[in-house]
Amino acid sequence: MTEADAVDASRRYPHIALRGPVFGIAVHDPAAGSGWRLLKSVADGMPQQARDGLHSHLWFKAKDETDDPGVRRELLAAVTVFEQDPVNELEVLGVRYQVVRGDEFARSGEDGLEPPRPTDVEPLDLSWDVQLKTQSQTWTSASIPIGRTA
């Protein structure tokens, strides 16, 4: 169904506007499962920004998440790799890290930019019960009269 929705959208909104590439970090940890997952969102404008994020992740992991000198030594050795070479893949303690690339684009047509599709995922909890604070009161967003700001 999602594929059919995409084909329909490509016909209604045939023009594409590119933003350019974006970069993030993916991790494959066999202890956490068989697949890859994103460690750092794919939002950086340059691959070096993603590498810097992984560098920081590994450094803080060595600093805060282990008391084992051997583990800390291996994590800091990986940090040192980034200080010497702009690598895109690295394995540390059996966990694989990789800089990943994505492309951002928007479709447009005669009606303007493409709106959300029927098959786009929505949050499971559509609650508007968020606490908003004023100087002397606490309001829930559902209780704020239209036209009034908190």
Side-chain angles (χ1 to χ4, degrees):
M1 185 64 160
T2 302
E3 291 83 5
D5 197 27
V7 169
D8 186 40
S10 70
R11 289 185 182 129
R12 283 183 311 205
Y13 301 93
H15 308 292
I16 296 177
L18 295 174
R19 176 188 178 263
V22 287
F23 303 88
I25 299 294
V27 60
H28 181 260
D29 183 356
S34 62
W36 287 84
R37 64 179 177 81
L38 288 177
L39 174 71
K40 186 175 185 309
S41 65
V42 183
D44 292 326
M46 294 177 281
Q48 188 58 46
Q49 290 173 299
R51 289 183 204 109
D52 291 345
L54 180 54
H55 176 276
S56 293
H57 171 79
L58 295 172
W59 190 87
F60 280 105
K61 191 173 179 95
K63 177 183 172 286
D64 299 332
E65 295 181 23
T66 185
D67 293 325
D68 183 324
V71 170
R72 181 173 289 129
R73 190 171 19 261
E74 191 165 341
L75 288 165
L76 292 175
V79 167
T80 302
V81 168
F82 283 106
E83 294 169 355
Q84 298 170 359
D85 191 25
V87 297
N88 292 321
E89 294 183 43
L90 189 66
E91 184 169 336
V92 185
L93 299 167
V95 178
R96 294 173 51 202
Y97 299 92
Q98 182 175 11
V99 174
V100 294
R101 181 183 193 276
D103 289 302
E104 286 187 326
F105 68 93
R107 291 192 167 280
S108 64
E110 291 179 16
D111 298 338
L113 291 174
E114 176 186 15
R117 298 176 188 168
T119 56
D120 288 337
V121 178
E122 295 285 357
L124 295 175
D125 181 11
L126 296 176
S127 172
W128 284 89
D129 193 22
V130 177
Q131 296 291 316
L132 301 173
K133 297 200 182 246
T134 64
Q135 293 173 350
S136 62
Q137 299 172 329
T138 300
W139 299 72
T140 64
S141 58
S143 66
I144 297 174
I146 293 174
R148 173 144 186 208
T149 58

